[in-house]
Amino acid sequence: MRWHRHLLSILGVLFLLATTLAKPQGADPKKDAKPAKTPNYYPVEVDNVWHYKVTANGRDAKISTRIAKIEDFNGEKFARLESPTVALTEHLSQTDKGVFRHRFNGADVTPPFKLLPYPAKPGTKWQGEFAVEKDQGKHKYSGEIQAEENIDVPAGKYKALRVVIKLEENGMMIETTYWFAKDVGFVKQTVEAPGLSILLELEKMERKK
């Protein structure tokens, strides 16, 4: 998948912020980038910042991401996620249906893929397909909230939901696992594929003042 390969190249350390969920059939995200009141597993307020430690195939790096602003696309308001360390942008929304990704590095994702469904309960499963603008064909995926568990990362200890996303691309399986903590976002992420192993761990979150 071209946009995964692009991420690998721009980071140089094989870092991958792989998110490969599309919305389930019949679910339409509301035209609102404000976070849902309950729950809130990905705070999308402007100026929220996340700092991560990255280990990719045995090499270490740092990356930060920030909600830079709210942008309007054809009447829909999305939170723009940027990284000052890499050429990466995403556009997100959070509604009572879940957390959605609508754009990736300026390209539309159709339909918007669901990073996390609400209500967020262990045992929830979903599957579907999506297309990235200028990318040929559609991509199939499956997702599951596997469990809620206690997790320890450099930023501290959290109770988090373990979410597993699987994408098959040209016969290769890419498996991404997120650990989402309420009012924080994802505190840990792993990506596994043939010849690729990536780990992200939250070191610090800076909230909007």
Side-chain angles (χ1 to χ4, degrees), residues 5-167:
R5 293 194 294 271
H6 177 63
L7 274 179
L8 293 177
S9 64
I10 62 176
L11 282 172
V13 293
L14 300 180
F15 164 63
L16 179 63
L17 285 171
T19 51
T20 54
L21 294 178
K23 66 176 181 179
Q25 289 184 333
D28 291 316
K30 293 181 179 179
K31 297 179 180 180
D32 187 3
K34 295 180 181 179
K37 291 182 179 179
T38 305
N40 181 13
Y41 282 95
Y42 207 141
V44 292
E45 294 91 349
V46 174
D47 290 334
N48 281 347
V49 182
W50 296 265
H51 301 278
Y52 294 97
K53 174 185 177 182
V54 184
T55 302
N57 285 6
R59 300 174 64 182
D60 295 331
K62 306 280 187 180
I63 188 170
S64 298
T65 59
R66 171 178 172 262
I67 302 295
K69 56 185 174 180
I70 303 298
E71 293 188 311
D72 188 293
F73 291 91
N74 299 319
E76 295 186 283
K77 295 185 182 299
F78 305 139
R80 180 184 173 97
L81 182 72
E82 297 180 348
S83 172
T85 52
V86 294
L88 170 67
T89 65
E90 301 178 27
H91 286 85
L92 307 168
S93 72
Q94 183 170 207
T95 76
D96 59 354
K97 300 296 184 183
V99 181
F100 296 84
R101 182 165 281 103
H102 299 260
R103 292 169 61 85
F104 178 83
N105 275 356
D108 289 331
V109 179
T110 308
F113 56 79
K114 185 176 277 189
L115 180 58
L116 182 67
Y118 290 160
K121 299 187 219 178
T124 300
K125 297 180 181 180
W126 61 102
Q127 60 183 4
E129 59 183 27
F130 64 93
V132 180
E133 184 182 354
K134 299 179 182 179
D135 208 3
Q136 295 181 353
K138 294 184 177 180
H139 309 284
K140 294 183 178 180
Y141 70 90
S142 63
E144 180 181 3
I145 302 176
Q146 291 190 335
E148 185 175 46
E149 57 192 17
N150 295 320
I151 187 167
D152 194 353
V153 295
K157 296 181 179 180
Y158 298 91
K159 179 174 286 187
L161 292 173
R162 185 174 74 238
V163 179
V164 177
I165 305 159
K166 295 181 180 180
L167 170 70

